Amino acid sequence: MPPKKVAAVTTEYRKWSHADVILRNLLDGYPDGTKPGLELVALVTDQVPKGDTSRALAKKHGFAIYESVADALTLGGKTLAVHGVLSIGEHGTYPTNDQGQTLYPRRRFFEDVCKVFEKTGKSVPVFNDKHLAATWDDAKWMYDRARKLFVPLMAGSSVPITWRKPNLVLPKDCELTGAVQIGYGPFEGYGFHALEGLQCMVERRKGGETGVRAVTCHPAKTMWEPLDNTPWAGPVLRAALDRVAAHAAGAVRELTAKSADAGTFEIEYRDGLRAFVVMPNGWIHEGDGGGFVFAGLRKGADTPDACQFYLQQPDPFAHFAELTRAIDHLVATGHAPYPVERTLVTTGVLDAAMRSRHEKGKRIETPHLAIAYSPTEWGPARGEIPKPQKK
């Protein structure tokens, strides 16, 4: 069967950008030597930095670079000429708002894609990299627009489908007492990764996902207080911190107190579950597979379940190959391998957390996040983790 033709809309295309680590799998195949059933035929780059690699790759691989989304999706003609679209709105030089959110043009990209769908009377699957948009209003507009035009939509990051150490998949319909997710790095950009790690776990609890009631962002000065005041949280937090592969030698609380970019998201779910995303910047390091760690306590269990979401880096960044496999499934079947509602929830939680942080730790009620969905069985990567490539 010939590969499905896809177009990609990107903010920028340079070495180790998200455009690079995703689209390289279409151009060169997966690290294990197999190839996806997708062919990149058209590309749009919103910005062209000095280190741009897309022009040389277009000459090497034979895909076309267009100035507009409409031309990319129609290959310069009048009818929709691709089987799928990858919208990769990550990296590049873009402004931030007062809440510290980077305003990547993800809604603009999706608007332009949907204009083509509406004009041609046909829709094809779309993948949106990371959170749907910086703000809830834009994210909800995208979700609603996709439903109106019957667009099979998938979104999110590579964290939920990367390797887990150990390979922890919570039993579906398990009863969770509480959960802690560790994250690291830029508060918004990597805070989203942490939220996706948390959500792909807790959505498997009894009753599935029913939504989020409120979100509070506790700054570095008070980030440990809500955990100290929650009876179940002590051992769960310890189990999570114990699995962090790389961190400073000092005491975590002392070092995070000195960081302007440390903090805790407190998430109150509508069914009564409470969870925490802890960003111990100043103590945690990026090395040895990254610092995204989940720990959760099941009802009746003596000890928490815990795992690291292992990110293989640097090259070949094989966790992005796992994300590309999910995109391949989306385009091949017309069905997202896991619900876009997961990313709608995490997008909304992150937006509320950034608002809470901006408003000095105010508790933000989130009636708009009464979003219910059931998880699928598309789980973490299996098999051997590809070894880093030699420089």
Side-chain angles (χ1 to χ4, degrees), residues 18 23 47 56 101 125 137 142 283 310 316:
H18 274 213
L23 297 177
Q47 297 180 354
Q101 296 163 293
D137 287 345
M142 293 168 65
W283 172 79
Y310 188 87

Side-chain angles (χ1 to χ4, degrees), residues 51 105 131 147 153 156 171 181 203 219 236 289 301 322 358 363 367 383 385:
H131 38 314
R147 287 172 64 87
L153 180 61
Q181 173 75 33
E203 69 187 14
V236 181
E322 297 304 312
H358 181 65
R363 178 178 179 269
I385 301 171

